[in-house]
Amino acid sequence: MKLTGVLLAATAMAFAATAGQAQEKTLKVGALVTLSGAGAAWGQGMLNAAKLAAEDVNKDGGLKVGGDSYKVEVIAYDDAYKANEAVTAANRLVYDDKVKYIIGTVGSAPILAIQPITDKNKVITMTLGFTPKAISPDHPYTFRPNPTTAEVAVPQISWLVKNLNIKTVGALFPNDETGESIAHDLGKAYGDAGAQMATEFFERNRVDFVPLLTRLLAQGVDAIELDGNSPVTAGQIVQQARDLGFTGQIIRTGGPATPDIVKVAGKQATEGMYVHSAFNPNDKAEADYEARYVKTFDQSMNGFSPFFYDGTKMLFKAMQDAGTVTDTDQVKTALENIRDFKGVTGTVNWTGKDVYGIAHQLDAPFYIAKVHDGEEEVVAKCTTKGCE
């Protein structure tokens, strides 16, 4: 009897130890984002989104996958919005940290630079990069959980040109993959809507835009488009345009950045600015996410953050559906098959097969907002079919 009791006790202890070990398994998720320089607001929003999604599962005992529980650890590296820095960070994440999932990159040039690494090693990435080249059958492990200019430009610009009576718009773009791609999409959208777009290109680290703005204003533009520029750069453009005496309309067709633009340019300079808004503060789920974000990180929330929160949650769900965290082919298929996912940004699905050749582009509602006293006020709700 005593021996049996000892055996039972030993078995119970072994079982408890085994269960404890299961709880101690770790799932490493990389965050390869911009945390310094002009694009830091975007990168910080993406990193914090991943942290909040990880917090959700960790507080419930870890991510439950295939009978095991995993504590999610987010490993962050700063690429400084540069392709070479992104490659260095990607190599560390893939070969040193052994990650299979990366939230990032922020920029287009960085995602194109790391894809040879992530594709070869079957690492699933969630990129913000707007370039259409990032999403294709040649890059089957890359997903984009946020709308880009290609998705939002036509409906928004059609609404803006009609309602603001815009004839000619001036636009400044960085002379890189991101800037060229967005300039192409915007130019076509403004042309199709009946307006002309005059453009100037500049090197990404430029801070003096007076000569470029002077040339644009000399062409009699009645609006300035900010899309394609980082939040800080966009704020500098607004400030310098107003200093030159420009009193026309300021527009930002894509890229949530209003708090940072207002911070740089001031409330007076940005009053009446029309912006793309991925976020509707009147929606409870989105408002609750923003409140949690501000309380947790003690900083304003960038509008891209909710998309990467939803994207990370969808990634976790795909692992659970696939029953594995190691076989990324199975996880990729499960992620592609997620339908009508209810996130903080609304009910979302994957789209893009007709445009990119692969349905790895998130389809979600978006908005046009007008800035008043430094805050966004939604004036139109949009889908890819139009705004109303």
Side-chain angles (χ1 to χ4, degrees):
M1 289 294 293
K2 291 183 179 180
L3 181 59
T4 302
V6 170
L7 289 173
L8 287 173
T11 301
M13 291 175 64
F15 178 80
T18 302
Q21 290 172 0
Q23 290 295 330
E24 293 174 357
K25 288 189 175 182
T26 299
L27 170 65
K28 295 180 180 179
V29 175
L32 204 174
V33 292
T34 303
L35 298 175
S36 60
W42 293 332
Q44 194 66 61
M46 294 163 66
L47 170 59
N48 290 344
K51 287 181 177 179
L52 291 177
E55 180 182 274
D56 288 344
V57 295
N58 287 341
K59 71 181 181 182
D60 291 330
L63 183 67
K64 310 297 190 296
V65 179
D68 291 315
S69 293
Y70 295 85
K71 179 181 178 182
V72 179
E73 177 186 352
V74 179
I75 302 174
Y77 290 113
D78 177 17
D79 69 4
Y81 215 30
K82 297 176 181 177
N84 62 325
E85 296 286 346
V87 169
T88 299
N91 277 317
R92 289 182 65 183
L93 284 169
V94 173
Y95 295 112
D96 296 340
D97 299 312
K98 309 297 183 183
V99 305
K100 291 289 187 179
Y101 308 95
I102 293 176
I103 306 302
T105 62
V106 173
S108 293
I111 188 61
L112 296 180
I114 73 167
Q115 281 177 321
I117 301 168
T118 55
D119 288 343
K120 176 183 177 181
N121 291 278
K122 299 184 177 183
V123 174
I124 294 177
T125 62
M126 291 274 184
T127 185
L128 173 65
F130 274 31
T131 175
K133 298 177 184 177
I135 306 294
S136 80
D138 294 331
H139 304 299
Y141 300 96
T142 300
F143 292 76
R144 186 159 50 208
N146 57 278
T148 73
T149 300
E151 283 73 50
V152 307
V154 171
Q156 286 185 168
I157 287 174
S158 296
W159 189 95
L160 291 165
V161 168
K162 178 181 177 180
N163 287 274
L164 304 182
N165 194 30
I166 295 172
K167 302 299 182 185
T168 306
V169 61
L172 293 80
F173 300 102
N175 188 24
D176 57 20
E177 177 70 32
T178 299
E180 292 171 5
S181 174
I182 293 176
H184 174 270
D185 291 338
L186 287 182
K188 185 176 186 308
Y190 273 110
D192 290 346
Q196 294 182 325
M197 188 177 81
T199 60
E200 292 283 347
F201 288 89
F202 61 90
E203 294 307 311
R204 179 68 75 169
N205 60 351
R206 182 166 186 153
V207 296
D208 177 13
F209 300 98
V210 170
L212 307 182
L213 286 166
T214 300
R215 286 202 293 267
L216 287 176
L217 299 185
Q219 299 179 55
V221 300
D222 47 31
I224 291 177
E225 170 68 68
L226 302 175
D227 194 9
N229 293 292
S230 70
V232 172
T233 299
Q236 293 169 336
I237 292 171
V238 173
Q239 182 183 46
Q240 293 173 36
R242 294 305 192 203
D243 288 345
L244 287 171
F246 179 70
T247 59
Q249 188 62 59
I250 303 290
I251 297 170
R252 185 174 177 86
T253 299
T258 299
D260 298 281
I261 296 174
V262 172
K263 184 177 180 180
V264 173
K267 292 182 179 180
Q268 183 176 349
T270 54
E271 183 67 23
M273 180 171 67
Y274 281 85
V275 299
H276 162 82
S277 179
F279 174 77
N280 182 3
N282 298 319
D283 181 90
K284 186 178 185 306
E286 296 188 61
D288 287 348
Y289 178 81
E290 181 178 33
R292 178 188 177 192
Y293 186 104
V294 173
K295 181 179 180 180
T296 302
F297 303 108
D298 193 26
Q299 60 184 231
S300 60
M301 183 196 75
N302 181 268
F304 278 127
S305 188
F307 287 99
F308 282 85
Y309 175 77
D310 284 350
T312 306
K313 299 277 275 191
M314 293 172 76
L315 186 57
F316 290 161
K317 184 180 187 308
M319 295 179 204
Q320 292 176 318
D321 291 347
T324 177
V325 301
T326 57
D327 189 334
T328 51
D329 281 314
Q330 290 189 44
V331 175
K332 175 181 71 69
T333 299
L335 185 57
E336 292 169 334
N337 288 333
I338 291 177
R339 299 286 184 272
D340 296 328
F341 181 84
K342 295 196 171 26
V344 297
T345 57
T347 300
V348 299
N349 286 283
W350 296 112
T351 187
K353 179 70 182 246
D354 54 337
V355 177
Y356 306 108
I358 192 169
H360 284 193
Q361 168 65 52
L362 194 74
D363 183 17
F366 51 95
Y367 310 88
I368 298 174
K370 186 176 182 180
V371 177
H372 174 62
D373 195 30
E375 300 291 334
E376 294 182 0
E377 298 178 353
V378 172
V379 295
K381 181 176 180 179
C382 310
T383 68
T384 53
K385 296 179 181 178
C387 300
E388 58 184 20

